[in-house]
C-alpha cells in the first residue's frame, strides 16, 4: 500500500526560514561587531605597540662601541693605542644551522678550535638577536674570499673595529697590562648595556681603570630591507670615547732599568719622593702583552706557564722578600723617635751577639767586629749588633707599631689591582701561622730584616722616599686624565701625605747615615765613586735558605733559585732628592756587589741622561712572549743612548770572610 504524503505547510516553512535568517543575521552582526572591536583594539588601543613593532622590523638598533682610551707616558709617548681591524660577527637568530654555517665558513676563513669553542659558549649565554664575534682580526685575504660569497651566509657580517696594540711590547707588560676577550663572567658583571663590548681590561692599569678607559656605548638606528640588510642610518645616539691616561712613568728610564739589569731577574721601582709619582717600575723577566689581546694560543700560554722564571708574575705588587739590611735606616729612625736612642749613643760590636744566658750567637757583617758604633756608623757599615740591641730595647710591640707606620704589613694603595700587604712579623702572626709563641731570638732576627718578614719593592721604595722627603706618600702611576683628544689634561687628586717622623732632625741624622753608606768606609762606597752627585743608600741581602748550625753559606755555591736576594734602597741627589729607588735582584748574591751597581746606572740615567749600554743578547729564548731583560726587548721607538762605563764593584765575600753565626750577616 503506497505511503500517504504529508501536505506542505507554507506558513510553518516561512516561519522557520525567518527564524533561521534572524539567527544568521545575529551571528553575522556579532562577528562584524567583534571584528570591528578587534580592529579598534589594533588600530587605536594597541597602536603604539604595533607601530613600534613595525618600525623595529624596518629600523634596528646597532651598538657603537667607542674607542678605548689611550695611555701615554709622562713625555707623551704612546704606551697603549687602538689600531683598525675587522672581525667576523654572527647573529644567531638569523642562522638556521650554526654547525653547518661554521663548517662552510671554515672553508674560506681560518677558524681555530678556540674560536669555535668560545663562540658556542657565548651563543648559549647570550640572547639570539645580539651579534657574537666568531673571529677577531680577519685578514685581508680572508675578507676578500668572504666578500665573493657573502650572500650565502645570512646573519654573518664583517665589522670594523679598533683593537688594542702595545707598541713597547714587554717593556710595560706589568704596568699597563693588557685587554682580553670578554668571557661569560665578564658579561655577567658588565650587564646588558655593555654586552656589545668585545674586550675588557685583564691586568695592570687596563684593569684598574677599565671603566674609565672603555667609555660609554652608543647606538645607531639602521634602516634595513626585508632580508635584514642595512640600507641607511636614520638616527644616532653618540658613543662617549674612553678616558685617556697620562702616566708619571718615563719610558726612557724604564728601558734604562731593563738594560741595567742585563740578564738578571728581579724587580725595581723608582719614584719622585716629592710627589709619590712612579717614574719607572720593572719586573723581570717580562712577556709580550700583545699575545693576549685577541686570545693567546694554547701552545704559547702553556709555554709561558711552564717557564720557571714566571714571566707573568708581577714581582712589584705580588712578590715579597725579606728586606734584609735595607730596613736598618727605618729601625734607626724608630729608635730616635721612641727615645730609646740618641744619635751619639754607641754600642760595641765584637763580631758576635749573644742573648743573656744563651750560647747561640748572631753574627755581624765583620767577623772581627766593628768596634764602637753610633747610629750613622751602624747604617753606613751595616752593623747588626746595633740593631739587635735596639730591637730588644724597643720590644716587638713598639717595633711593629713603627714598622706599620712606615707602611709595612699593608698595601701601599698604588693604582694596580691585587697588591699584597706582605707580612709584618708579630707574636700574633707567628701564633696564627705556626702555632708557636714569640721568643727574644725572633726579635733579634727581625731586627736585621730576617725571620718572617715579607715586603714588596713598592713598600720599600715608599718608605725610602719618606726618608728622602720627610713625608710618606701614596705611590701612583696615573697623574693626569682627559676625556677626548681635544680636551685639556686634568690632574688626579692624590691623598694627603703624612710625616714619616714628628722630628725632622731625626730624619736628617738617618739621611746622613745613608749618605755615609755611599762614602769611603760604607758598604756602597765603590759604586758611588766618581759620581757627579751625592747619593744616599742602603745595601741589603736576604737569604732564601736557612743556615744550619754555624756553617757559613757561600751564595755562589747554591742553585740560582736558592741564592740570596740582593737588595738596595736609596735616593739622589742626597742634598735635594728627586728620585728614590728600591731594587731586588733574585739570585744576585750580595746587595753591595749586585744591586748597588744597578742603582748607580739608574741614577746616572735619570740625573745625567747617561743610559746604560744594552747587554749582549743571550741565546734566543724558546719561550714565546717571555722576554728576557735584554736589548732585544727594546722597541724601535727608543733611540740608542751613549753608554756609561760600568762602575767598579766590590768583590763578593768568600766563605772565610763570613763570620760563623746562626744568621747570615746582611749588607
Amino acid at each position: 500500500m503506497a505511503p500517504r504524503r504529508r501536505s506542505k505547510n507554507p506558513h510553518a516553512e516561512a516561519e522557520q526560514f525567518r527564524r533561521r535568517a534572524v539567527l544568521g543575521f545575529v551571528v553575522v552582526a556579532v562577528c562584524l561587531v567583534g571584528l570591528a572591536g578587534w580592529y579598534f583594539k589594533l588600530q587605536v588601543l594597541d597602536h603604539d605597540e604595533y607601530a613600534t613593532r613595525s618600525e623595529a622590523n624596518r629600523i634596528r638598533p646597532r651598538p657603537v662601541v667607542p674607542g678605548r682610551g689611550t695611555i701615554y707616558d709622562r713625555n707623551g709617548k704612546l704606551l697603549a693605542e687602538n689600531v683598525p681591524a675587522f672581525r667576523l660577527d654572527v647573529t644567531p637568530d638569523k642562522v638556521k644551522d650554526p654547525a653547518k654555517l661554521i663548517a662552510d665558513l671554515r672553508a674560506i676563513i681560518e677558524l681555530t678550535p678556540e674560536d669555535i669553542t668560545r663562540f658556542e659558549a657565548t651563543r648559549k649565554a647570550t640572547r639570539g638577536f645580539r651579534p657574537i664575534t666568531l673571529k677577531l682580526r680577519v685578514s685581508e685575504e680572508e675578507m676578500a674570499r668572504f666578500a665573493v660569497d657573502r650572500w650565502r651566509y645570512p646573519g654573518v657580517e664583517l665589522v670594523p673595529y679598533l683593537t688594542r696594540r702595545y707598541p713597547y711590547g714587554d717593556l710595560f707588560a706589568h704596568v699597563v697590562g693588557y685587554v682580553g676577550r670578554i668571557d661569560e663572567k665578564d658579561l655577567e658583571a658588565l650587564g646588558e648595556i655593555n654586552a656589545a663590548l668585545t674586550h675588557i681590561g685583564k691586568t695592570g692599569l687596563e684593569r684598574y681603570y677599565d671603566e674609565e678607559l672603555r667609555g660609554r656605548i652608543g647606538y645607531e638606528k639602521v634602516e634595513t630591507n626585508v632580508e635584514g640588510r642595512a640600507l641607511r642610518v636614520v638616527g644616532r645616539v653618540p658613543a662617549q670615547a674612553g678616558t685617556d691616561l697620562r702616566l708619571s712613568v718615563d719610558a726612557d728610564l724604564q728601558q734604562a732599568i731593563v738594560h741595567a739589569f742585563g740578564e738578571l731577574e728581579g724587580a725595581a721601582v723608582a719614584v719622585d719622593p716629592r710627589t709619590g709619582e712612579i717614574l719607572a717600575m720593572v719586573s723581570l723577566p717580562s712577556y709580550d702583552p700583545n699575545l693576549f689581546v685577541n686570545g693567546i694560543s694554547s701552545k704559547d700560554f702553556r709555554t709561558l706557564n711552564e717557564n720557571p722564571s714566571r714571566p707573568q708574575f708581577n714581582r712589584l705588587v705580588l712578590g715579597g722578600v725579606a728586606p734584609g739590611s735595607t730596613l736598618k735606616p727605618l729601625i734607626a729612625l724608630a729608635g730616635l723617635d721612641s727615645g730609646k736612642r740618641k744619635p751619639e749613643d754607641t754600642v760595641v760590636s765584637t763580631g758576635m751577639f749573644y742573648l743573656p744566658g744563651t750560647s747561640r750567637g748572631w753574627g755581624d757583617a765583620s767577623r772581627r767586629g766593628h768596634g764602637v758604633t753610633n747610629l750613622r756608623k751602624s747604617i753606613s757599615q751595616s752593623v747588626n749588633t746595633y740593631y739587635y740591641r735596639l730591637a730588644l730595647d724597643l720590644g716587638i710591640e713598639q717595633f711593629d707599631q713603627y714598622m706599620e707606620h712606615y707602611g709595612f704589613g699593608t698595601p701601599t694603595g698604588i693604582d694596580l689591582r691585587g697588591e699584597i700587604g706582605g707580612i709584618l712579623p708579630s707574636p700574633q702572626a707567628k701564633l696564627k701561622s705556626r702555632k708557636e709563641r714569640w721568643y727574644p731570638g725572633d726579635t733579634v732576627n727581625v731586627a736585621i730584616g730576617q725571620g718572617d718578614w715579607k715586603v714588596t719593592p713598592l713598600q720599600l721604595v715608599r718608605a725610602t722616599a719618606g726618608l728622602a722627603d720627610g713625608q710618606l706618600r701614596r705611590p701612583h702611576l696615573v697623574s693626569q686624565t682627559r676625556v677626548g683628544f681635544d680636551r685639556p689634561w686634568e690632574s688626579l687628586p692624590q691623598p694627603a701625605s703624612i710625616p714619616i717622623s714628628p722630628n725632622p732632625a731625626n730624619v736628617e741624622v738617618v739621611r746622613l747615615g745613608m749618605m755615609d753608606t755611599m762614602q769611603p768606609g760604607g758598604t756602597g762606597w765603590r759604586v758611588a765613586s766618581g759620581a757627579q752627585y751625592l747619593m744616599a743608600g742602603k745595601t741589603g741581602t736576604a737569604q732564601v735558605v736557612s743556615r744550619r748550625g754555624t756553617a757559613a753559606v757561600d751564595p755562589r755555591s747554591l742553585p740560582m733559585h736558592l741564592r740570596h736576594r740582593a737588595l738596595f734602597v736609596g735616593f739622589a741627589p742626597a742634598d735635594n732628592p728627586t728620585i728614590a729607588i728600591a731594587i731586588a735582584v733574585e739570585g744576585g748574591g750580595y746587595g753591595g756587589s749586585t744591586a748597588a751597581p744597578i742603582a748607580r746606572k739608574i741614577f746616572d740615567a735619570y740625573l745625567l741622561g747617561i743610559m746604560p749600554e744594552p747587554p749582549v743578547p743571550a741565546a734566543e729564548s724558546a719561550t714565546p712572549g717571555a722576554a728576557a731583560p735584554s736589548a732585544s726587548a727594546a722597541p724601535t721607538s727608543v733611540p740608542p743612548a751613549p753608554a756609561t762605563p760600568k762602575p767598579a764593584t766590590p768583590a763578593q765575600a768568600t766563605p772565610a770572610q763570613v763570620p760563623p753565626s746562626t744568621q747570615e750577616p746582611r749588607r
Side-chain angles (χ1 to χ4, degrees), residues 172-358:
F172 287 95
H174 293 291
V175 177
V176 175
Y178 61 82
V179 298
R181 297 180 66 167
I182 288 181
D183 54 28
E184 294 181 31
K185 292 183 179 179
D186 295 329
L187 285 173
E188 292 178 3
L190 291 171
E192 285 292 327
I193 192 171
N194 293 309
L197 293 173
T198 59
H199 291 76
I200 192 173
K202 297 291 186 178
T203 64
L205 293 171
E206 291 277 27
R207 181 184 178 189
Y208 190 91
Y209 290 98
D210 180 70
E211 187 173 350
E212 292 86 350
L213 285 166
R214 67 175 181 248
R216 184 176 299 173
I217 294 178
Y219 289 91
E220 290 179 340
K221 294 181 179 179
V222 181
E223 184 178 14
T224 61
N225 59 16
V226 293
E227 296 179 350
R229 300 280 184 88
L231 299 177
R232 62 192 179 97
V233 177
V234 297
R236 180 180 287 108
V237 176
Q240 180 179 320
T243 301
D244 295 335
L245 306 181
R246 172 174 281 176
L247 310 187
S248 57
V249 173
D250 187 325
D252 292 335
L253 183 62
Q254 187 91 351
Q255 187 67 71
I257 295 178
V258 173
H259 288 170
F261 264 79
E263 300 298 329
L264 296 171
E265 298 178 358
V269 57
V271 306
D272 186 335
R274 302 165 298 181
T275 61
E277 294 180 342
I278 300 289
L279 301 175
M281 55 189 301
V282 171
S283 176
L284 298 172
S286 188
Y287 64 95
D288 186 0
N290 291 295
L291 291 173
F292 290 86
V293 173
N294 293 316
I296 188 171
S297 68
S298 299
K299 179 182 176 182
D300 288 348
F301 188 68
R302 182 173 59 253
T303 308
L304 276 175
N305 283 341
E306 292 174 355
N307 188 329
S309 294
R310 300 185 296 171
Q312 297 180 80
F313 184 70
N314 191 339
R315 292 158 167 82
L316 295 159
V317 297
L318 300 175
V321 299
S325 293
T326 58
L327 208 63
K328 289 177 180 176
L330 295 165
I331 300 174
L333 180 61
L336 295 176
D337 287 341
S338 66
K340 301 293 184 180
R341 292 291 186 273
K342 297 178 181 178
E344 62 274 12
D345 289 345
T346 61
V347 300
V348 177
S349 167
T350 61
M352 190 67 66
F353 175 80
Y354 297 93
L355 285 170
T358 65

Side-chain angles (χ1 to χ4, degrees), residues 153-174:
Y153 308 107
V156 183
E157 295 287 346
L158 278 174
V159 180
Y161 76 108
L162 295 175
T163 188
R164 205 63 157 174
R165 189 173 79 91
Y166 303 101
Y168 283 79
D170 63 291
L171 188 61
F172 287 95
H174 293 291

Side-chain angles (χ1 to χ4, degrees), residues 135-151:
K135 180 180 176 62
L136 287 165
R137 298 303 296 266
V138 179
S139 67
E140 293 183 2
E141 182 179 350
E142 291 172 332
M143 291 169 57
R145 289 198 297 263
F146 176 79
V148 172
D149 295 327
R150 165 69 185 82
W151 60 274

